[in-house]
Amino acid sequence: MPSKILFSACLAGFKVRYNGSDKPLFDATLQRWQREGRLVVCCPELAAGFPTPRPSAEITPSAEGATVLAQRARVVEVSGGDVTAGYLLGAHLALETAQRHDCRFALLTDGSPSCGSQFIYDGSFSGQTKPGSGVTAELLRQNGIEVFSDRQIDALIARIEAVEQA
């Protein structure tokens, strides 16, 4: 059976990012997977009820998704509002969606406090990044879903081809 991929809605061209923009990812293999019904489009933040646009948010204090899941860190908006509960809800809804559709892989937008898988912002709202994962990316990984960033499309394609040829 072909592998299914949980796919960030903003990468699919939906204007769901915090600032109302998208971040479309154009790739021939992704287009083929879409035609084959293999991409499961999801935005954890919208699933949790956040509006578009919405204030930017970062994981603080200088933590990452795993510490938020362990309830040792928070996700806060630039204004200081605590939105941790919404990010946790979005992560759990994304996991439920991935599991319902038998997704073994996820292709998510890097930098996001939800979807970042290689880097996230450092919690200072200064534009500085650091290695780490967002809340959704970490929860997916903890549940056996392989997560790739939008900058790792070639690695995802290679991984899926290897799995499907085995």
Side-chain angles (χ1 to χ4, degrees):
M1 181 166 110
S3 300
K4 292 224 177 166
I5 304 101
L6 190 71
F7 190 58
S8 285
C10 60
L11 297 178
F14 293 95
K15 296 184 182 302
V16 296
R17 297 183 76 214
Y18 76 96
N19 60 4
S21 69
D22 60 3
K23 192 177 179 181
L25 186 59
F26 299 105
D27 179 89
T29 302
L30 284 176
Q31 291 174 350
R32 179 173 48 84
W33 287 346
Q34 179 64 36
R35 287 190 306 272
E36 294 170 356
R38 296 170 66 164
L39 300 182
V40 177
V41 176
C42 177
C43 175
E45 293 164 26
L46 256 56
F50 286 105
T52 300
R54 58 191 165 274
S56 64
E58 295 184 10
I59 298 172
T60 189
S62 195
E64 60 179 298
T67 49
V68 175
L69 290 169
Q71 299 181 357
R72 293 192 323 265
R74 301 177 305 129
V75 183
V76 297
E77 295 174 330
V78 66
S79 63
D82 187 334
V83 289
T84 306
Y87 277 80
L88 289 168
L89 174 61
H92 285 279
L93 291 171
L95 174 62
E96 180 182 299
T97 298
Q99 290 173 331
R100 185 173 60 248
H101 292 277
D102 295 321
C103 295
R104 289 187 56 189
F105 304 96
L107 182 62
L108 305 177
T109 307
D110 233 351
S112 160
S114 288
C115 296
S117 63
Q118 300 295 303
F119 76 88
I120 56 173
Y121 289 90
D122 71 358
S124 67
F125 294 96
S126 64
Q128 297 296 329
T129 61
K130 66 175 197 147
S133 295
V135 181
T136 297
E138 183 61 31
L139 185 63
L140 293 172
R141 282 186 176 133
Q142 288 180 7
N143 284 273
I145 296 171
E146 294 182 47
V147 179
F148 295 81
S149 83
D150 52 309
R151 298 176 304 149
Q152 296 178 301
I153 182 67
D154 293 335
L156 172 63
I157 292 167
R159 177 69 178 121
I160 289 176
E161 287 175 353
V163 165
E164 292 179 354
Q165 290 173 1

